[in-house]
Amino acid sequence: MSRKPSRSRLRRDDEKERRREALIDAAEAVFARHGFEAAKMEDVARRARVSRALVYVYFKNKAELQFAVCRRALRVLRERLSAAADGEKRGYDKIVAIGRAYMAFASEFPLYFAALSRFEAHQPDRIDAGSSERAVLEAGVAVHEVTIAALTAGARDGTIARIDKPMLVALTLWGYTHGAIQIAQTKAAFLEEVGLSADEFLAHAIRFGLQGLRPAKGAKP
Amino acid sequence: MSRKPSRSRLRRDDEKERRREALIDAAEAVFARHGFEAAKMEDVARRARVSRALVYVYFKNKAELQFAVCRRALRVLRERLSAAADGEKRGYDKIVAIGRAYMAFASEFPLYFAALSRFEAHQPDRIDAGSSERAVLEAGVAVHEVTIAALTAGARDGTIARIDKPMLVALTLWGYTHGAIQIAQTKAAFLEEVGLSADEFLAHAIRFGLQGLRPAKGAKP
DNA sequence: GCACTTTACTGACATCATGTCAATCATTCA
DNA sequence: TGAATGATTGACATGATGTCAGTAAAGTGC
């Protein structure tokens, strides 16, 4: 028996959504400036020109805000990876492009990458259906789908070995790449100390990590 | 002008060290139970049967306690990797063993692995010489040395391709393995959902990640 | 336009963890 | 024994979190 929502109802929902986004904007700025741990809800509120209490109306707590940032991060990431893959013809090249695009993403949006790192490192006790944590996970799957598509394309055109469980490979690649970027990013100063540049490190990581995808010599496409 | 320390002075230094270790023990227990974020200094103090104020005498803050746990973790890890490498003759097999040992370590000491994950994800603004954060970094280098030794052994016996920058490769392998374990560990429930077991995932990650080390066919040892 | 309802928003509060310090307790040493 | 040194703590100030009752504002029906 649901009635058609009134015009003003729709408009207000819209404004609510806008405010929500504005709060995430503010949170991103504060997180970027002070880091997640040190970031205070008060700062987020001030930056959004709103009382602290209102932030709690939109987000149950700081963790929920972080999840919201993660979802944004994964949305942007998916676009980038997708565009990168579309720019290449052969499956193998798509995968290389995806790896590079992830690295570019990390250096273009360090905050987003840091948010994802936190999410990866965080061990949840339970993930309820419908929770925002679950939503982040699902956004993650959407990203993996891009990789999976490239892998199957590669299997078809013969540039990548046949794979029975593409999700397994996609996750492996994701873990590898994420791990490598994380070192390059958080330990950049240390890398310098031992005479390595972060770029050099990442370039090597890409070259090195993709060997496993090569099809056996003489395998038919 | 330093005089020989008195007998009682030495004994008391010893007791101080013991207490310090006891505090780290307590911290480990609390961290394992409640996670790093939720862990309270009060809990650590209570578990060590000590006032909260005393904890602050030994550790400037919670972060310092975490660094202490990281150092322990890296000490244990180094032993494990070292033992694993020593159990194999050929360089390549040493590397495989090291990878497996890291995985075994992560499943045997989930708290230690989580601590290292946090450390990897954490972006420091400055690392002062002599700081405990620096000490963790150095303990990390000690771990990488094990890998580097295995790599050079492999280059010598011909089971691994020649490498001009072993630290580069060691760090790449570290990043890969860590990234993969992290997914297997924190996202185990999710892996199940998509029909993968954590063990299967890790086994694949090892096989997949080491392709880059193979020497070119017909390369001389 | 006016009453009335629903929704957005906030100030003030209770709670709780952190980090500090002066004061106390225990021990070594002369 | 009594001074001195070091270990330990209770009590405090500070600051962040999350909640809630209450106010302001916008929407609705007349």
Side-chain angles (χ1 to χ4, degrees):
Chain A
M1 305 293 139
S2 63
R3 294 192 57 249
K4 181 171 95 179
S6 73
R7 198 160 301 201
S8 56
R9 162 96 243 176
L10 287 173
R11 173 161 49 85
R12 291 201 304 154
D13 279 0
D14 200 53
E15 274 164 15
K16 215 168 171 177
E17 187 54 31
R18 220 184 293 283
R19 169 128 290 177
R20 199 186 131 87
E21 293 299 317
L23 284 173
I24 305 177
D25 288 343
E28 283 184 9
V30 175
F31 289 162
R33 189 159 184 66
H34 304 291
F36 294 97
E37 321 260 89
K40 283 162 275 187
M41 293 298 253
E42 174 68 46
D43 298 337
V44 176
R46 187 154 352 115
R47 190 156 234 280
R49 299 162 170 282
V50 146
S51 80
R52 196 168 55 83
L54 190 63
V55 183
Y56 283 97
V57 172
Y58 284 82
F59 300 93
K60 213 181 80 222
N61 51 38
K62 211 162 85 175
E64 294 287 310
L65 254 178
Q66 287 183 30
F67 291 144
V69 172
C70 286
R71 282 182 70 183
R72 271 197 185 176
L74 288 169
R75 264 199 303 271
V76 173
L77 180 58
R78 196 192 128 94
E79 276 169 26
R80 297 300 173 107
L81 300 196
S82 215
D86 289 348
E88 300 291 338
K89 195 98 202 334
R90 303 189 313 158
Y92 182 85
D93 297 334
K94 283 177 192 288
I95 292 290
V96 174
I98 285 173
R100 285 196 213 290
Y102 193 11
M103 291 172 184
F105 166 86
S107 93
E108 188 175 357
F109 308 100
L111 173 79
Y112 283 166
F113 184 78
L116 296 181
S117 285
R118 274 183 75 81
F119 186 77
E120 295 291 338
H122 169 69
Q123 187 136 14
D125 21 326
R126 264 184 73 242
I127 305 180
D128 300 307
S131 69
S132 36
E133 190 160 3
R134 156 73 50 181
V136 179
L137 231 40
E138 277 159 14
V141 172
V143 173
H144 297 321
E145 278 164 2
V146 177
T147 311
I148 291 175
L151 286 171
T152 47
R156 221 178 303 119
D157 68 26
T159 52
I160 291 178
R162 289 213 176 281
I163 290 166
D164 37 325
K165 298 193 177 177
M167 181 56 107
L168 183 66
V169 180
L171 278 171
T172 308
L173 286 172
W174 169 269
Y176 281 178
T177 318
H178 188 91
I181 298 176
Q182 190 163 290
I183 286 187
Q185 192 148 102
T186 70
K187 301 290 176 284
F190 171 75
L191 284 173
E192 299 282 344
E193 278 179 37
V194 297
L196 302 170
S197 84
D199 285 346
E200 182 186 12
F201 175 72
L202 287 178
H204 176 263
I206 284 266
R207 240 181 303 129
F208 191 88
L210 293 176
Q211 311 276 354
L213 291 177
R214 291 269 162 73
K217 261 201 189 124
K220 59 180 181 221
Chain B
M1 309 285 143
S2 65
R3 296 191 56 249
K4 181 171 96 181
S6 73
R7 200 160 299 200
S8 56
R9 162 96 241 180
L10 286 172
R11 174 162 49 83
R12 290 203 301 156
D13 279 1
D14 202 52
E15 275 164 14
K16 214 169 167 176
E17 186 53 31
R18 221 185 292 283
R19 171 129 287 177
R20 200 188 131 85
E21 292 300 317
L23 285 173
I24 305 177
D25 288 343
E28 283 184 10
V30 175
F31 288 161
R33 191 159 182 65
H34 304 290
F36 293 97
E37 320 259 91
K40 282 162 273 187
M41 292 299 251
E42 174 68 45
D43 298 336
V44 175
R46 187 157 349 115
R47 190 154 234 280
R49 299 163 170 283
V50 143
S51 80
R52 197 168 55 83
L54 191 64
V55 183
Y56 283 98
V57 172
Y58 284 81
F59 300 93
K60 213 181 81 221
N61 51 39
K62 209 162 86 175
E64 294 287 310
L65 254 178
Q66 288 183 30
F67 291 145
V69 172
C70 286
R71 281 181 70 181
R72 273 198 184 177
L74 289 170
R75 264 200 303 271
V76 173
L77 179 57
R78 198 193 126 93
E79 277 168 28
R80 297 300 174 107
L81 300 196
S82 215
D86 289 348
E88 299 291 338
K89 194 99 200 340
R90 303 189 312 160
Y92 182 86
D93 297 334
K94 282 177 192 288
I95 293 290
V96 174
I98 285 174
R100 284 196 214 290
Y102 194 11
M103 290 171 184
F105 166 87
S107 95
E108 188 176 356
F109 308 100
L111 174 79
Y112 283 166
F113 184 79
L116 295 183
S117 284
R118 273 183 76 79
F119 186 77
E120 294 291 338
H122 169 68
Q123 185 136 16
D125 22 327
R126 262 184 75 241
I127 304 180
D128 299 308
S131 68
S132 37
E133 190 161 1
R134 157 71 51 179
V136 179
L137 231 38
E138 277 158 15
V141 172
V143 173
H144 297 321
E145 277 163 3
V146 177
T147 311
I148 291 176
L151 287 172
T152 48
R156 220 178 302 120
D157 66 27
T159 52
I160 291 177
R162 289 212 178 283
I163 289 166
D164 37 325
K165 299 194 178 178
M167 181 56 108
L168 183 67
V169 179
L171 278 172
T172 309
L173 286 172
W174 168 269
Y176 281 179
T177 318
H178 188 91
I181 299 176
Q182 189 164 291
I183 286 186
Q185 193 148 101
T186 68
K187 301 290 174 286
F190 171 74
L191 285 173
E192 299 283 344
E193 278 179 38
V194 295
L196 301 170
S197 85
D199 284 347
E200 181 186 13
F201 175 71
L202 287 179
H204 175 263
I206 284 267
R207 238 180 306 128
F208 191 87
L210 293 176
Q211 313 275 355
L213 291 177
R214 292 268 163 75
K217 260 197 192 130
K220 58 181 180 218

